[in-house]
Amino acid sequence: MTISPFGWLNERQLLRVFLALTVILLAMSTWMARMDRALVTDKAPNGIVSFELAGDARSAKDILDAWDSAAQSVAMLVQGVDYLYLVVYTLWFSMACWLISRRLGPAWQRMGVVTAWLVLLAAPFDAIENYGLIIQLLHGPNDGMAFLSRWMAIPKFGVLLIAVAYLLVALIPRLRVAITNRASA
């Protein structure tokens, strides 16, 4: 697979879109992290992620019971905003993998293109997960929705982990060369 998900953008457009996505991603990530602090409790030590991974009605109920009405409102707001965020972060990670892959050898390029496509799967996983969480926020804990949310969150995190690993492994040697070149200059 050597076809980029972004072949329809020219170089200038690609860099502009990536820059815009970077700014939006940083702003949204900061906001989401700030909102998530209101969701951290003994029963939800990882905030909304604890709710995403609850897996059953009893665990989801424990989390929802630990959140007061204000925290549940924050959780609902976060789920709504996450429908935009999931587009932003998946496109950002996909573009980042594609952009770095173009500067590497053929094997790394192929891996980068595959990763750029693969990470796009996080969006539908996250959207379905959000649906399950919203249903529980509106109608109470539900084994089916808690199970659905968990088993959409796990592959979402999995493909994101693959993208992060690819970026780190691909960038570390480039950073080392840049640092070495700068030190010797």
Side-chain angles (χ1 to χ4, degrees), residues 10-185:
N10 67 39
E11 187 70 18
R12 188 173 177 187
Q13 292 168 328
L14 182 64
L15 293 175
R16 283 183 176 179
V17 170
F18 186 71
L19 179 59
L21 284 173
T22 300
V23 170
I24 295 166
L25 178 68
L26 290 172
M28 290 188 80
S29 295
T30 301
W31 182 86
M32 298 282 272
R34 185 172 293 136
M35 292 295 103
D36 194 56
R37 286 194 293 245
L39 304 177
V40 174
T41 66
D42 289 342
K43 296 293 183 179
N46 298 309
I48 199 71
V49 173
S50 297
F51 190 40
E52 292 171 359
L53 297 174
D56 59 58
R58 182 169 184 84
S59 299
K61 182 180 182 334
D62 289 344
I63 292 167
L64 289 173
D65 287 348
W67 289 343
D68 61 18
S69 62
Q72 287 186 26
S73 293
V74 167
M76 183 63 84
L77 176 61
V78 166
Q79 292 312 297
V81 171
D82 195 46
Y83 278 105
L84 172 59
Y85 189 61
L86 66 87
V87 172
V88 172
Y89 77 74
T90 56
L91 287 175
W92 187 91
F93 275 105
S94 183
M95 280 188 174
C97 290
W98 165 244
L99 287 168
I100 193 67
S101 76
R102 298 179 321 157
R103 289 160 176 77
L104 303 172
W108 281 98
Q109 286 177 357
R110 284 189 297 278
M111 194 181 312
V113 170
V114 169
T115 305
W117 282 102
L118 180 65
V119 76
L120 295 174
L121 290 174
F125 289 139
D126 200 351
I128 295 167
E129 167 205 305
N130 288 348
Y131 171 78
L133 298 177
I134 289 169
I135 293 299
Q136 292 180 92
L137 284 162
L138 290 173
H139 304 291
N142 174 303
D143 276 325
M145 291 296 111
F147 179 85
L148 177 69
S149 295
R150 177 185 213 157
W151 291 105
M152 291 294 109
I154 290 171
K156 171 193 78 175
F157 290 131
V159 297
L160 289 172
L161 183 61
I162 290 168
V164 168
Y166 174 80
L167 289 169
L168 288 175
V169 171
L171 285 172
I172 287 172
R174 294 186 61 76
L175 291 173
R176 191 175 309 139
V177 168
I179 291 168
T180 302
N181 289 344
R182 183 170 282 190
S184 63

